Amino acid sequence: MSEVVTYELRDGVGVITVNYPPVNALGKDVREGLKAAVEQGAADDGAQALVVMGGGRTFPAGADIREFGKPPQPPALTEVIDAYEHADKLIVAAIHGTALGGGLEVALGCDYRVAVSSARVGLPEVNLGILPGAGGTQRLPRLIGADKALPMIVEGNHVPAAKAQSLGIIDEVVEGDLAEQAIAYARKLVGDGAPRRPVSEMEVKLEDPKVFENYEKSIARKKRGFLAPFRCIEAVKAAAELPFAEGMKRERELFTELVSSPQSKAQRHAFFAEREVGKVPGVSKDTPRREIGKVGIIGAGTMGGGIAMNFANVGIPVILKEVKQEALDNGIKIIRRNYENTAKKGRISQDDVEKRMSLISGTLEYDELSDVNLVIEAVFESMDIKKEVFGELDRVCKSGAILATNTSTLDVNEIADSTSRPEDVMGMHFFSPANVMKLLENVRGEKTSDEVVATVMDLSKKIGKVGVCVGVCDGFVGNRMLHKRQAEAVSLVAAGASPEQVDKVLFDFGFPMGPFAMSDLAGIDVGYRIRQERRKAGDPEAQKPSWLDKLAEQGRYGQKTGAGVFKYEEGDRTPKPDPEVAKLIEDFRKENGIEPREVTDQEILERCMYVMVNEGAKILEEGIASRALDIDIVWIYGYGFPVYRGGTMFWADQVGLKEIHDRVKTFHEQLGGKQWEPSPLLERLAKEGKGFHDL
Ligand code: HSC
């Protein structure tokens, strides 16, 4: 037997334990070990029943994802599970941690399942662009009914033990030592003459024959562009309609199609990138972390309030500092309202609302921040104001406190240098709404210490964010690339496209909304002010005045004023084309001697996307992002880049860098502009036939 799976006889029960840290993934050695162990258990005369469990922190959390895309290595997981289901001894799965994917499929091959109350089970394969491929789509509907299995398989959520018990997945929730409890349970079952329960032999219960059709309709919008959720529905339908063996064949066909699809490759890349992104190159994993027991926030506006909620949500006390009592009261009132709304939707209890609110306090005095371990400034984007705030923080905050700025545009090094402790200063760029958006661009200044970087990166995870460490530049990673795309979108409209056409192309690509619906949501005035500042300052790279600026000058700021590039009806956020804007664009073209031409969807896609890829390459060259995967994660979590395309740079690699480089060069010849100057890195990789992820 392999070393990663052990077998021992305890109290007349054979206990099979998987020891393959960190998550007991079902790689080749584990599969071999599991198969050998069940054979040993079956042959062990001293064992009246068997228990299978995970050592360390969890029951197996799934197949070993790193094996996908490589030649399959026997034994297949399906073969292992068959061996458990057909063993001639009763088997109990004893679950702690997370029994996910292939792990839950192993448990479904057992006769009975017990779990500790903190355990969670689920079939999250859909999040990797695949479906459960070791019988999960066929056994779970047989165990709990197709109607209940469907959401678990299509949504891929983790289900806590108590709920899993009520669904019929778990037979008993146990307290105390899991192995002992499972052994006692197995002995009792044998003593009571409990029957074997091969799930594959159960009938599939189906309450509503239209469930598949209805479910497909219900997810059509939310899962737009994804392949796997729809294939999951097909697989569960097969369970309801076909005998087990045929259903398994169908599951295999669908699994094989998905696992080799570009979507699954992209989603697997995103899975590992999300974990890799937390490991900052050059910062050792043993770097000491500072304890963050209390946080101060400067500014109780929308941003400050949203940021505060992240900390209260995980039990960290927060103190909000404002200038005026009224603004403070209002900020805290809005936080309460947000929590109350979440409670109304049933996502948290009223008790949670009160607990979280009790962790949030307010002050008008800087001196009250003397005991915080981290302070995040979220005030107006003005260097003078920020320097003033940081001067105060430098004065009152205790030694070792981390001083962070939420700036999205200003130079973090300049802010840091205005204090006596630049090594403790860092950017924490939250995305709006700060309590919802998962991305956190953690901006490392020239002098920021490793300890501060490591602490802030860990803290990001703790508050449920995906932190990406980036360097200092205008717009950091996300907005720097976004601004290039936005300028291109504006110029495409000036050339002859309509804003609706541009938006549709990017929406169809998979973004949640097009660039103009997005600028209407964020407020056109924000970008307008920045562009005006640049023009005033004589910045040679400032964009020329455009039709979009004219909209801002007319007070059409977007959703907040009911009209921007699109118009909005009262209480409705759906963008509607506006003939007035079409006229304004037409006038703009006339004034500037532009003869409108037909712009193809292909040109829109290439210009909007390739300009970002070229900028991403420059960001990599400059070391603003250390790896292409950092940029991918920024775009997936900050801007809704479709995860099934793997992020901007992963997508670029799939398209091929030679193709992109050639087009960038052509656009540079045709349109000019610094944004189209091919990045030397892009040029080199294109020549070498490599991708950004080969670096
Ligand atoms: C699957 O099971 C398919 C099946 O249906 C079988 C198909 C068979 C087909 C047969 C055909 C014949 N594999 O997340 P963390 C690593 S698909 C490899 O930071 P946490 C992870 O990369 C799978 N590695 O920990 C990281 O490595 P690092 C279905 C895996 O405590 C380390 O473990 N299951 C891995 O925050 C720690 O991970 C899933 O999708 C895996 N399966 O969360 C579950 N899982 O240290 C995926 C983790 O080097 N996993 N790693 O960076 C998770 O959701 C989370 O990892 C947990 C733990 C919730 C388990």
Side-chain angles (χ1 to χ4, degrees):
M1 200 193 304
S2 74
E3 284 164 22
V4 295
V5 180
T6 57
Y7 175 84
E8 72 173 319
L9 190 63
R10 281 175 65 177
D11 290 337
V13 173
V15 179
I16 299 165
T17 310
V18 181
N19 289 302
Y20 187 52
V23 297
N24 289 324
L26 297 154
K28 176 183 163 52
D29 291 350
V30 176
R31 296 196 300 275
E32 265 174 6
L34 277 171
K35 191 150 179 276
V38 78
E39 282 160 7
Q40 187 178 351
D44 184 348
D45 292 339
Q48 39 182 302
L50 305 176
V51 162
V52 58
M53 61 190 299
R57 68 194 227 205
T58 186
F59 197 82
D64 190 333
I65 305 165
R66 290 165 301 196
E67 284 184 358
F68 294 154
K70 297 186 184 147
Q73 297 203 62
L77 189 57
T78 41
E79 190 186 322
V80 176
I81 294 169
D82 276 352
Y84 278 67
E85 200 175 54
H86 298 120
D88 58 9
K89 279 183 186 149
L90 182 147
I91 309 183
V92 174
I95 300 171
H96 76 298
T98 43
L100 301 174
L104 181 58
E105 288 174 306
V106 168
L108 293 175
C110 299
D111 299 284
Y112 295 86
R113 285 152 291 279
V114 298
V116 294
S117 58
S118 58
R120 286 176 294 143
V121 304
L123 294 172
E125 285 89 339
V126 70
N127 299 321
L128 299 166
I130 54 172
L131 49 72
T137 67
Q138 304 304 300
R139 284 195 178 85
L140 192 65
R142 284 180 162 75
L143 187 65
I144 66 171
D147 310 67
K148 289 180 185 142
L150 200 54
M152 266 189 77
I153 294 170
V154 179
E155 305 292 335
N157 294 333
H158 300 182
V159 176
K163 175 145 188 240
Q165 186 180 23
S166 69
L167 282 169
I169 302 170
I170 302 290
D171 299 292
E172 292 274 333
V173 175
V174 298
E175 298 300 334
D177 184 89
L178 178 61
E180 275 174 23
Q181 295 293 325
I183 292 166
Y185 184 67
R187 287 174 64 96
K188 182 170 182 308
L189 287 170
V190 174
D192 292 349
R196 297 294 307 278
R197 282 198 317 180
V199 176
S200 67
E201 289 172 17
M202 295 177 183
E203 290 287 314
V204 179
K205 279 191 241 71
L206 179 65
E207 282 170 21
D208 172 11
K210 292 197 107 181
V211 68
F212 303 108
E213 198 183 317
N214 291 340
Y215 207 86
E216 194 167 318
K217 276 191 206 141
S218 76
I219 63 163
R221 207 180 141 74
K222 202 168 132 207
K223 305 286 181 191
R224 177 177 61 94
F226 284 92
L227 204 58
F230 300 94
R231 296 291 185 269
C232 285
I233 297 177
E234 272 186 60
V236 180
K237 192 160 181 251
E241 290 173 353
L242 302 173
F244 182 74
E246 281 178 49
M248 284 297 285
K249 239 176 90 190
R250 186 73 189 121
E251 178 190 88
R252 169 57 51 83
E253 286 163 6
L254 294 167
F255 178 85
T256 308
E257 176 203 343
L258 289 176
V259 82
S260 50
S261 68
Q263 288 207 356
S264 175
K265 278 189 199 125
Q267 287 179 256
R268 273 145 39 205
H269 162 70
F271 174 85
F272 287 114
E274 183 179 334
R275 280 146 185 90
E276 213 45 40
V277 89
K279 301 166 195 156
V280 182
V283 177
S284 151
K285 69 177 183 354
D286 305 321
T287 306
R289 269 65 169 171
R290 296 187 191 167
E291 204 189 306
I292 306 296
K294 187 173 178 188
V295 176
I297 315 268
I298 313 297
T302 317
M303 205 54 178
I307 296 173
M309 290 171 76
N310 292 302
F311 294 98
N313 293 349
V314 296
I316 300 177
V318 197
I319 177 161
L320 285 154
K321 151 85 179 71
E322 253 302 343
V323 181
K324 294 212 169 87
Q325 189 64 44
E326 201 188 334
L328 185 60
D329 293 344
N330 197 37
I332 292 181
K333 203 168 85 195
I334 291 171
I335 296 178
R336 175 171 280 282
R337 201 173 63 205
N338 282 340
Y339 278 139
E340 302 273 3
N341 284 341
T342 314
K344 266 188 217 139
K345 288 181 195 144
R347 294 205 201 118
I348 55 172
S349 67
Q350 193 56 40
D351 210 35
D352 291 330
V353 176
E354 298 311 326
K355 260 193 217 135
R356 292 176 194 195
M357 285 310 297
S358 73
L359 291 168
I360 298 175
S361 58
T363 181
L364 301 178
E365 304 302 328
Y366 276 107
D367 290 303
E368 297 220 19
L369 302 176
S370 59
D371 62 342
V372 301
N373 310 97
L374 162 72
V375 55
I376 304 170
E377 158 281 309
V379 302
F380 191 70
E381 285 284 86
S382 140
M383 184 54 90
D384 291 344
I385 300 178
K386 305 250 177 199
K387 280 187 179 167
E388 206 181 300
V389 169
F390 274 78
E392 290 292 332
L393 296 178
D394 202 10
R395 179 178 68 77
V396 300
C397 289
K398 64 183 177 191
S399 142
I402 297 173
L403 312 183
T405 168
N406 178 49
T407 184
S408 56
T409 50
L410 300 173
D411 184 343
V412 175
N413 289 328
E414 195 178 334
I415 297 174
D417 282 336
S418 75
T419 71
S420 65
R421 37 177 141 173
E423 65 284 359
D424 289 336
V425 177
M426 184 146 182
M428 287 178 79
H429 179 210
F430 287 82
F431 284 64
S432 187
N435 52 322
V436 178
M437 295 294 289
K438 279 196 81 167
L439 179 66
L440 189 48
E441 269 183 328
N442 292 324
V443 189
R444 174 175 202 163
E446 268 160 24
K447 296 179 187 151
T448 314
S449 73
D450 281 4
E451 214 174 285
V452 168
V453 172
T455 305
V456 169
M457 290 299 286
D458 274 14
L459 184 67
S460 309
K461 196 169 178 194
K462 185 165 181 190
I463 61 172
K465 303 287 180 203
V466 182
V468 182
C469 187
V470 303
V472 178
C473 70
D474 188 9
F476 312 125
V477 170
N479 284 343
R480 175 166 159 185
M481 289 165 73
L482 181 77
H483 291 155
K484 299 288 178 222
R485 186 185 81 174
Q486 190 68 15
E488 218 50 39
V490 169
S491 142
L492 282 157
V493 170
S498 67
E500 299 82 88
Q501 187 194 0
V502 173
D503 267 22
K504 183 170 182 317
V505 169
L506 287 152
F507 179 78
D508 289 349
F509 178 83
F511 281 103
M513 63 184 89
F516 295 117
M518 189 172 167
S519 53
D520 272 358
L521 177 67
I524 296 178
D525 51 324
V526 182
Y528 173 72
R529 265 203 309 271
I530 299 171
R531 289 190 291 276
Q532 285 293 79
E533 286 295 319
R534 292 208 171 135
R535 288 170 193 140
K536 264 194 234 148
D539 182 345
E541 279 188 47
Q543 281 170 43
K544 289 200 196 89
S546 70
W547 58 270
L548 193 69
D549 294 321
K550 285 192 179 291
L551 287 181
E553 281 154 12
Q554 290 182 3
R556 295 185 62 125
Y557 292 160
Q559 281 193 24
K560 60 186 170 191
T561 56
V565 178
F566 301 107
K567 66 177 170 188
Y568 301 86
E569 269 145 38
E570 185 82 34
D572 184 1
R573 290 165 170 225
T574 323
K576 304 247 164 59
D578 188 343
E580 274 183 37
V581 175
K583 170 86 176 52
L584 179 141
I585 294 168
E586 216 180 290
D587 291 347
F588 175 84
R589 289 180 189 137
K590 276 188 199 140
E591 280 161 27
N592 289 276
I594 301 168
E595 187 60 45
R597 63 178 171 89
E598 196 189 322
V599 178
T600 63
D601 289 356
Q602 177 74 9
E603 181 181 347
I604 293 173
L605 188 69
E606 288 182 354
R607 282 177 58 184
C608 287
M609 296 302 296
Y610 294 174
V611 81
M612 289 207 294
V613 173
N614 196 35
E615 199 62 26
K618 293 176 187 174
I619 283 171
L620 278 176
E621 267 163 354
E622 293 165 25
I624 299 298
S626 9
R627 300 154 298 190
L629 65 89
D630 294 286
I631 303 180
D632 290 334
I633 292 296
V634 164
W635 273 83
I636 290 171
Y637 286 112
Y639 303 87
F641 192 99
V643 63
Y644 57 78
R645 295 193 195 273
T648 321
M649 308 310 266
F650 186 84
W651 173 80
D653 282 356
Q654 303 306 102
V655 173
L657 297 192
K658 176 163 179 349
E659 158 83 16
I660 295 183
H661 175 254
D662 290 351
R663 297 297 292 146
V664 167
K665 246 176 89 182
T666 307
F667 288 133
H668 189 225
E669 283 153 19
Q670 288 172 355
L671 307 161
K674 216 168 157 46
Q675 74 278 19
W676 286 116
E677 271 173 22
S679 125
L681 176 66
L682 176 63
E683 192 167 351
R684 171 167 74 78
L685 292 173
K687 261 199 204 117
E688 291 171 358
K690 288 189 179 154
F692 293 117
H693 295 80
D694 298 321
L695 284 170

